[in-house]
Amino acid sequence: MQKKAVIVQDVSCFGKCSATVALPLVSALGIECALLPTALLSAHTGLPVYNCFDLTAEMKTVVSDWKKLSLSFDGFYSGYMLSGGQAEIALGVLSSLVKKDGLVLVDPVLGDNGKPYAMLNTAFSEKMLELVSKADVVTPNLTEAALLLGREPVLCGYDESFIEESLFALGKLGCRVPMITGVSFENEKIGVAFLENGKVSYCFSKKHEGVTSGTGDVLSSCIFGALMRGKSVPEAVREAVDFTEHAIRCGVSKYAIDFEGALSAGRG
Ligand code: PXL
């Protein structure tokens, strides 16, 4: 039977991120995706002009209809949300629409480059921590890991012991496999650190200077899709890191990476 996943993400009409990245990538890995949209944006927030429409009320109706349809999902992947209220709805989806042994990946989209996103407040942080406590895998960047831990973000000059202590602290929040993305100890390499069964591992690829936009969603989507396909955590992370680097080599625009080029590579 084909596996089904629910994806909780915004729809940014222009600028590749969130749903417009997660749906094609997870679908390409053979997983049927259902979208619970958190917001409709004319363009993602990295663009100089955008409008954002909050879809909290619509999310409630979608979830209510899904319950009436008796839907049941094998996986759950959440990303960009606007509020604690939306995270609460996502928690409700987890408890009522996702199978008990379903795979849960929470990308705690809270900030970047040392700064929290504008919508972050105490209620949102608390609900995000609750979601994290129920996750199999969490994929914060360095800023988000610090925000989850109530610490000041450290973006450079850290060492392995700092990353490893952060991973163990994230594990204490209740998630089974904490990860930190965008980890870099040397100029030429960047990748993911993760903690599984008490062991810390790293997975790196070549670092391309100046590229950050859009990589996080590509990475998390690939990790989720590969795990849904039954890959082990180290295999899923390796595939995701390699695919993301491939997408960067295919092309980088001001606001996104060419994941479509990487998806279609080798086709005539
Ligand atoms: O990739 C994270 C993300 C998701 N959704 C929207 C964003 C961003 C990052 O800036 O603007 C709308």
Side-chain angles (χ1 to χ4, degrees):
M1 260 278 267
Q2 188 184 18
K3 287 192 176 168
K4 282 204 290 294
V6 53
I7 295 182
V8 185
Q9 282 280 18
D10 70 275
V11 177
S12 285
C13 300
F14 181 79
K16 294 180 278 183
C17 67
S18 319
T20 59
V21 170
L23 294 179
L25 288 177
V26 178
S27 293
L29 289 165
I31 312 299
E32 178 181 341
C33 298
L35 177 67
L36 180 57
T38 58
L40 180 71
L41 291 95
S42 50
H44 81 53
T45 60
L47 282 118
V49 175
Y50 68 89
N51 276 282
C52 176
F53 303 95
D54 184 321
L55 297 182
T56 306
E58 289 77 6
M59 287 173 81
K60 289 181 184 162
T61 306
V62 171
V63 174
S64 158
D65 287 352
W66 284 358
K67 285 184 186 162
K68 289 179 199 153
L69 291 167
S70 302
L71 298 185
S72 164
F73 296 99
D74 308 287
F76 169 100
Y77 164 27
S78 69
Y80 188 86
M81 288 182 268
L82 294 178
S83 64
Q86 294 198 341
E88 177 77 39
I89 295 170
L91 280 162
V93 168
L94 251 189
S95 63
S96 59
L97 292 170
V98 179
K99 291 178 186 159
K100 288 283 159 279
D101 61 350
L103 177 78
V104 178
L105 187 147
V106 172
D107 186 8
V109 181
L110 300 171
D112 205 3
N113 299 316
K115 298 210 173 53
Y117 290 140
M119 74 281 191
L120 192 58
N121 57 33
T122 311
F124 190 14
S125 299
E126 282 169 5
K127 286 293 163 200
M128 188 58 86
L129 285 171
E130 207 175 322
L131 259 183
V132 165
S133 76
K134 298 188 188 310
D136 292 299
V137 179
V138 291
T139 54
N141 58 33
L142 283 159
T143 301
E144 292 159 343
L147 290 168
L148 288 173
L149 296 171
R151 300 174 176 177
E152 276 303 307
V154 177
L155 301 183
C156 58
Y158 49 80
D159 59 9
E160 290 196 5
S161 68
F162 170 81
I163 294 296
E164 289 168 19
E165 193 277 328
S166 301
L167 283 171
F168 279 99
L170 287 170
K172 292 211 176 86
L173 299 178
C175 49
R176 195 166 59 78
V177 182
M179 301 188 177
I180 301 178
T181 65
V183 172
S184 180
F185 298 117
E186 44 187 309
N187 283 340
E188 288 86 37
K189 287 184 185 167
I190 189 160
V192 177
F194 58 97
L195 171 65
E196 189 184 25
N197 298 327
K199 181 173 161 271
V200 174
S201 306
Y202 295 91
C203 181
F204 293 106
S205 68
K206 184 175 155 46
K207 183 173 183 176
H208 297 260
E209 278 316 317
V211 179
T212 54
S213 199
T215 54
D217 289 333
V218 171
L219 195 65
S220 296
S221 300
C222 291
I223 292 172
F224 178 72
L227 291 173
M228 286 294 289
R229 282 179 79 84
K231 294 285 167 77
S232 69
V233 172
E235 283 169 341
V237 174
R238 183 78 258 166
E239 274 185 20
V241 166
D242 288 347
F243 181 86
T244 305
E245 201 259 336
H246 184 186
I248 293 168
R249 274 191 283 108
C250 284
V252 176
S253 70
K254 207 165 167 196
Y255 300 108
I257 63 176
D258 183 3
F259 75 85
E260 299 91 335
L263 264 186
S264 61
R267 288 167 216 261

